Amino acid sequence: MDNDLERIIELTDLATPDAVNARRYLHQNPELSEQESNTKEFICRKLNDLGIEYKKMKSGHGVIATIYGKDRTKAVGIRADIDALPVAENVDVPFKSKVPGVMHACGHDVHTAVLLGAAQVLKAMEKELPASVKLFFQPSEETIGGAAQMIEEGCMNNPEVKSVISLHVDPAVPTGKVLLTTGAMNAAATEFKVKVTGKSCHGAHPDAGIDPLVPACTMVTAIQSIITRKMDPADPCLITVGSFHSGNKSNVIPDETEFVGIIRALSDENLSKLIDSMRTMCHSIAEAHGADCEMTTGDGYPVLINDDSILKILHQSAAEVIGDENVMIASKPSLGADDFAFFCEKAPCFYYSLGVTSEGCEFHPLHSDKFCPDEDSIRVGILTEVNTVLHLLREI
């Protein structure tokens, strides 16, 4: 075992500089969800250089690669999301984004770089692998849920994927450490849109029309009572309104008012309850004001539940390469959502957090225009992914 660990560390140290360079290229050239064509081609060039077989997704810009082990019928999967965000970067680094208004503010450049590094290490160990490894470079996590597309295209088959792991950068965790969450890690979530329709008229004669703004404003404040009065206070959930629009002239009462947002809960059942309660409340408020109301929701993401058996394996494998003192256990889940949850519905999976904030550095959260992860975390990500996959392959 010690010899295996020494080899993993040696190969990781060789792979890390290339992974860091890959991260910097991706950071300079970010692409939004559903537009990751250059990112896809960059990944394919890197896989070609490593001699790893792959195929491009037919829908979206994902890449599915395979490193074949002794058993070519079974595999362990590793996933990295590849898309960026519509955020204008406010970080002064030599590899700052070249694309105006687009930035890897959620660390997907780090995720992709880590997976490319892990691919390099595992390819070097190919003849020793008891079974195969599949690499999922997944698009569109920030919008339409590219994980579902990837699964629909058969990424879990040929060879059959028995388990999947993935990581996400976490600025609340120090560099050199990983954070493991038991059970439900991320919330089920769905976006919503509420459109209230009234009757336009002159602002001086409101009695001649039906103002949709007043009931819409009432809805925005009233729906928060669903959280405090309809739901178990010990079971976290959220309704967030992120955008509100009504009219475009000071003396005109508009026909329509619209607001959009997202609903989150730590169970699919609670998510459904929130949607039903919100729809009932909004329609009732609209009716009381003589207006009409339409509420629509997206398909959303299911709750992300980590597998208990993989938790034990990941804890052990991470401790072997970075030290047990650097493996943290989360005390509570997050109400963030991630489409890795779709993989969790198909096989035992585990999603863990990678520390990316060095000692003494100012904290900046995910999606911030000042988010700047410590690149020393890339080596930690490669080590933990590779060693965990090797442990999981022995369990197949």
Side-chain angles (χ1 to χ4, degrees):
M1 176 61 72
D2 288 341
N3 290 337
D4 289 343
L5 290 176
E6 288 177 6
R7 182 140 188 261
I8 292 168
I9 292 169
E10 180 184 357
L11 290 170
T12 297
D13 287 341
L14 289 172
T16 297
D18 288 340
V20 170
N21 287 335
R23 183 260 164 164
R24 293 182 177 187
Y25 174 84
L26 293 167
H27 193 83
Q28 280 190 305
N29 300 276
E31 294 180 298
L32 295 173
S33 302
E34 305 166 67
Q35 300 175 29
E36 312 97 328
S37 57
N38 177 64
T39 303
K40 173 184 65 179
E41 296 304 325
F42 174 79
I43 291 166
C44 291
R45 290 195 299 272
K46 289 295 183 181
L47 294 172
N48 282 331
D49 292 343
L50 293 171
I52 296 174
E53 295 183 27
Y54 63 87
K55 65 176 182 179
K56 301 174 185 178
M57 285 177 60
K58 295 177 182 177
S59 59
H61 296 288
V63 180
I64 303 166
T66 307
I67 301 171
Y68 288 99
K70 295 174 183 177
D71 187 338
R72 298 171 67 94
T73 67
K74 299 175 183 177
V76 172
I78 319 175
R79 171 268 202 172
D81 37 13
I82 67 174
D83 50 334
L85 285 163
V87 175
E89 184 167 12
N90 190 21
V91 182
D92 187 16
V93 291
F95 47 90
K96 185 175 182 178
S97 171
K98 297 177 181 178
V99 184
V102 182
M103 174 192 176
H104 271 294
C106 200
H108 296 185
D109 53 341
V110 174
H111 304 170
T112 304
V114 167
L115 185 50
L116 286 170
Q120 182 174 331
V121 175
L122 291 166
K123 180 64 177 177
M125 304 179 72
E126 184 176 27
K127 294 181 180 179
E128 305 157 43
L129 301 179
S132 302
V133 181
K134 298 193 78 171
L135 316 171
F136 304 142
F137 296 92
Q138 181 219 299
S140 307
E141 188 278 328
E142 298 287 357
T143 56
I144 61 174
Q149 286 183 325
M150 192 164 266
I151 292 167
E152 287 171 8
E153 289 201 18
C155 74
M156 302 292 284
N157 306 316
N158 302 316
E160 180 184 1
V161 177
K162 294 295 187 178
S163 57
V164 185
I165 63 167
S166 185
L167 56 76
H168 199 295
V169 297
D170 189 340
V173 178
T175 302
K177 298 180 182 293
V178 295
L179 178 69
L180 314 183
T181 304
T182 60
M185 175 177 176
N186 286 116
T190 185
E191 294 182 348
F192 66 82
K193 178 170 73 174
V194 176
K195 183 170 71 174
V196 183
T197 305
K199 181 181 177 183
S200 181
C201 64
H202 196 292
H205 307 286
D207 55 309
I210 299 173
D211 188 348
L213 178 61
V214 176
C217 289
T218 303
M219 291 173 194
V220 170
T221 56
I223 56 178
Q224 297 305 322
S225 68
I226 297 172
I227 303 294
T228 62
R229 292 297 177 267
K230 295 283 188 180
M231 309 301 294
D232 184 344
D235 198 352
C237 49
L238 285 172
I239 300 175
T240 301
V241 175
S243 175
F244 189 103
H245 179 76
S246 184
N248 52 27
K249 190 73 170 66
S250 62
N251 64 346
V252 177
I253 289 176
D255 277 325
E256 294 180 352
T257 296
E258 181 178 288
F259 61 92
V260 298
I262 191 166
I263 306 170
R264 305 174 187 269
L266 286 175
S267 72
D268 296 330
E269 294 76 14
N270 275 352
L271 187 68
S272 295
K273 184 177 179 181
L274 285 167
I275 292 170
D276 291 343
S277 297
M278 184 174 168
R279 181 172 283 114
T280 298
M281 180 172 285
C282 288
H283 279 281
S284 297
I285 292 171
E287 184 178 5
H289 287 80
D292 294 322
C293 176
E294 178 185 13
M295 176 177 165
T296 56
T297 58
D299 293 333
Y301 295 169
V303 62
L304 193 163
I305 301 177
N306 281 329
D307 182 81
D308 288 341
S309 61
I310 299 181
L311 168 67
K312 297 176 183 178
I313 293 170
L314 205 160
H315 194 155
Q316 177 187 345
S317 61
E320 288 173 354
V321 289
I322 63 173
D324 189 62
E325 69 279 8
N326 292 315
V327 182
M328 305 165 61
I329 303 298
S331 59
K332 58 185 178 180
S334 165
L335 283 178
D338 196 292
D339 67 352
F340 184 70
F342 289 115
F343 287 106
C344 298
E345 293 185 325
K346 299 299 180 181
C349 293
F350 206 95
Y351 202 33
Y352 66 103
S353 301
L354 177 67
V356 294
T357 300
S358 57
E359 186 177 354
C361 286
E362 185 178 355
F363 173 83
H364 295 292
L366 297 174
H367 294 208
S368 164
D369 63 351
K370 294 183 179 180
F371 178 60
C372 186
D374 183 355
E375 290 183 328
D376 287 346
S377 64
I378 292 174
R379 179 179 181 273
V380 177
I382 297 170
L383 283 171
T384 53
E385 282 193 345
V386 168
N387 202 35
T388 300
V389 164
L390 293 175
H391 277 264
L392 289 170
L393 289 172
R394 298 183 192 113
E395 299 292 323
I396 290 180

